[in-house]
């Protein structure tokens, strides 16, 4: 076995010691650089958004689906048309019934005008007969007939007024029925309730949707957030509305501003995909870090959900964000 001079051995040991010292120093420097200032806590999470179903209110056959998975949609945009053939028949029937009740109302109104004229005439004739009887030039029997005619025409007027009231009520019912059918037809045109992307296309033309059955599932790209999990010692210091920052793993040098919109009142076991600073605390609290709506709207075409990242929260309002979190994306930033 070859022997090495003691001087070379000492020199090699010295180099190894220097390398170890440099490595340890580098790790220490890197750890200090990545460490968060006092008053700021963090947790792993994913960029997420709320989901919205585009669903039928009643069982109807799908006529057209105007979008595909991945398409960007805007509020009020027509996405699905359902077959309304049977509803249109019901609407025609309801409109015909409305027309018939309106005609009945017109007849009742004409009858009232007629009855009022007859009452006026009968009253005049009764008064004339009364004067003739008083002068001895008329018979009591004629006066009685005229008086009876006044009462009869008044009774007929009351009946006509009751018919008019009934006709008006029937018209209101007929109008309501027609409006209901018209609303059902309008509801058969399914529109987007949000700005988002089509996540799932759950039906195809020709299929019959059940009441409440979804035809599409949308990702609401204006309601974007990240959920993180913090141990009790950190979560207890977080307040609703606290300032937050979100970063994505693919672009850690830029951060998204946000705020704490939810702190769970109950602890839960750490999800498998989450790691905390205390090496997977058994019990953690869920926090929701919300992206401002105006910012999400500005970058709606670039937002991708499911991306992993890190969420940061100020538990001390006076704390200063570290340099790595000061490159903030704003609604005025260039979207490129």
């Amino acid at each position: 076995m070859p022997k090495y001079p003691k001087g070379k051995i000492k020199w090699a040991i010295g180099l190894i010691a220097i390398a170890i010292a440099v490595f340890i120093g580098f790790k220490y420097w890197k750890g200090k650089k990545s460490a968060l200032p006092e008053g700021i806590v963090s947790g792993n999470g994913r960029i997420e958004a709320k989901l919205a179903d585009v669903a039928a209110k009643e069982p109807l056959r799908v006529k057209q689906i105007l979008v595909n998975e991945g398409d960007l949609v805007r509020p009020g945009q027509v996405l699905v048309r359902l077959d309304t053939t049977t509803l249109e028949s019901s609407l025609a029937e309801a409109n015909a019934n409305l027309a018939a009740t309106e005609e009945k109302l017109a007849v009742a109104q004409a009858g009232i005008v007629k009855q009022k004229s007859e009452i006026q005439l009968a009253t005049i004739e009764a008064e004339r007969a009364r004067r003739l009887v008083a002068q001895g030039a008329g018979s009591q029997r004629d006066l009685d007939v005229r008086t009876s005619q006044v009462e009869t025409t008044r009774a007929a007027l009351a009946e006509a007024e009751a018919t008019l009231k009934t006709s008006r009520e029937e018209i209101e019912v007929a109008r309501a029925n027609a409006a209901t059918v018209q609303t059902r037809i309008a509801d058969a045109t399914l529109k987007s309730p949000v700005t988002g992307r089509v996540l799932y296309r759950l039906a195809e033309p020709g299929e019959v949707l059940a009441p409440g059955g979804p035809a599409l599932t949308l990702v609401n790209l204006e309601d974007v957030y990240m959920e993180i999990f913090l141990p009790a010692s950190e979560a207890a210091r977080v307040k609703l509305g606290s300032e937050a920052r979100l970063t994505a793993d693919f672009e850690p040098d830029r951060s998204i501003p946000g705020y704490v919109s939810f702190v769970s009142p109950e602890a839960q076991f750490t999800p498998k995909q989450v790691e905390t600073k205390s090496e997977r605390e058994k019990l953690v609290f869920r926090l929701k870090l919300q992206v401002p709506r105006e910012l999400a709207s500005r970058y709606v075409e670039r937002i991708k959900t499911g991306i992993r990242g890190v969420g940061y929260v100020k538990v001390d309002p006076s704390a200063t964000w570290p340099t790595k979190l000061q490159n903030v994306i704003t609604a005025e930033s260039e979207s490129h």
Side-chain angles (χ1 to χ4, degrees), residues 26-49:
F26 174 76
K27 293 290 286 183
Y28 176 77
W29 172 80
K30 188 174 181 181
K32 291 291 288 182
K33 186 178 179 182
S34 61
L36 292 173
E38 181 66 26
I40 296 177
V41 296
S42 68
N44 295 339
R46 293 188 304 177
I47 302 294
E48 300 182 55

Side-chain angles (χ1 to χ4, degrees), residues 149-160:
Q149 285 179 346
V150 171
E151 297 301 323
T152 301
T153 52
R154 284 178 178 171
L157 175 62
E159 184 179 351

Side-chain angles (χ1 to χ4, degrees), residues 247-264:
T247 61
D249 288 349
F250 72 90
E251 196 175 12
D253 59 332
R254 301 188 75 190
S255 63
I256 304 169
Y259 60 94
V260 177
S261 62
F262 173 78
V263 179
S264 175

Side-chain angles (χ1 to χ4, degrees), residues 42 80 127 131 138 238 256 268 270-271 287:
S42 68
V80 181
E127 183 60 29
R131 288 199 299 268
V238 177
I256 304 169
Q268 65 183 81
T270 311
L287 276 71

Side-chain angles (χ1 to χ4, degrees), residues 5-16:
K6 291 183 178 180
K8 288 186 176 181
I9 293 175
K10 291 180 179 179
W11 182 75
I13 292 174
L15 284 178
I16 294 173

Side-chain angles (χ1 to χ4, degrees), residues 7-257:
K8 288 186 176 181
I9 293 175
K10 291 180 179 179
W11 182 75
I13 292 174
L15 284 178
I16 294 173
I18 291 172
I20 292 173
V22 170
F23 177 76
I24 293 174
F26 174 76
K27 293 290 286 183
Y28 176 77
W29 172 80
K30 188 174 181 181
K32 291 291 288 182
K33 186 178 179 182
S34 61
L36 292 173
E38 181 66 26
I40 296 177
V41 296
S42 68
N44 295 339
R46 293 188 304 177
I47 302 294
E48 300 182 55
K50 285 188 177 179
L51 302 182
D53 285 335
V54 178
K57 286 189 175 181
E58 56 185 289
L60 291 172
R61 190 177 302 277
V62 177
K63 186 176 182 180
Q64 285 180 301
I65 296 185
L66 306 176
V67 291
N68 292 309
E69 291 180 353
D71 286 353
L72 182 65
V73 298
R74 301 288 181 178
Q77 180 179 337
V78 176
L79 306 180
V80 181
R81 287 192 174 95
L82 305 178
D83 191 341
T84 58
T85 302
T86 56
L87 292 178
E88 287 168 359
S89 297
S90 298
L91 179 61
E93 181 181 349
N95 285 332
N97 185 41
L98 175 59
T101 54
E102 287 176 340
E103 184 178 351
K104 184 178 178 181
L105 175 65
V107 171
Q109 289 173 330
I112 287 178
V113 172
K114 179 182 177 182
Q115 292 301 324
K116 286 182 177 179
S117 297
E118 290 182 355
I119 287 175
Q120 186 176 9
L121 177 59
T123 302
I124 292 172
E125 291 180 344
E127 183 60 29
R128 183 182 297 117
R130 187 175 294 105
R131 288 199 299 268
L132 291 174
V133 170
Q135 296 171 2
S139 68
Q140 183 63 40
R141 179 179 180 282
D142 186 52
L143 174 61
D144 293 341
V145 170
R146 300 301 181 186
T147 303
S148 177
Q149 285 179 346
V150 171
E151 297 301 323
T152 301
T153 52
R154 284 178 178 171
L157 175 62
E159 184 179 351
E161 288 176 339
T163 301
L164 177 64
K165 181 180 179 181
T166 301
S167 297
R168 285 175 174 164
E169 292 173 351
E170 289 176 351
I171 282 183
E172 292 302 318
V173 172
R175 284 176 179 167
N177 289 338
T180 298
V181 178
Q182 187 64 63
T183 300
R184 292 170 64 193
I185 291 175
D187 289 341
T189 300
L190 308 184
K191 300 178 181 180
S192 174
V194 298
T195 295
R197 287 194 184 275
V198 180
L199 181 62
Y200 300 118
R201 179 166 161 161
L202 304 173
E204 295 298 331
E207 295 182 21
V208 176
L209 296 179
L216 301 168
T217 297
L218 308 179
V219 179
N220 183 356
L221 296 180
E222 291 185 325
D223 194 344
V224 181
Y225 59 92
M226 176 184 285
E227 287 187 345
I228 64 173
F229 297 82
L230 297 179
S233 59
E234 295 178 350
R237 302 168 63 192
V238 177
K239 296 180 180 179
L240 287 177
S242 295
E243 193 177 349
R245 292 283 189 273
L246 289 70
T247 61
D249 288 349
F250 72 90
E251 196 175 12
D253 59 332
R254 301 188 75 190
S255 63
I256 304 169

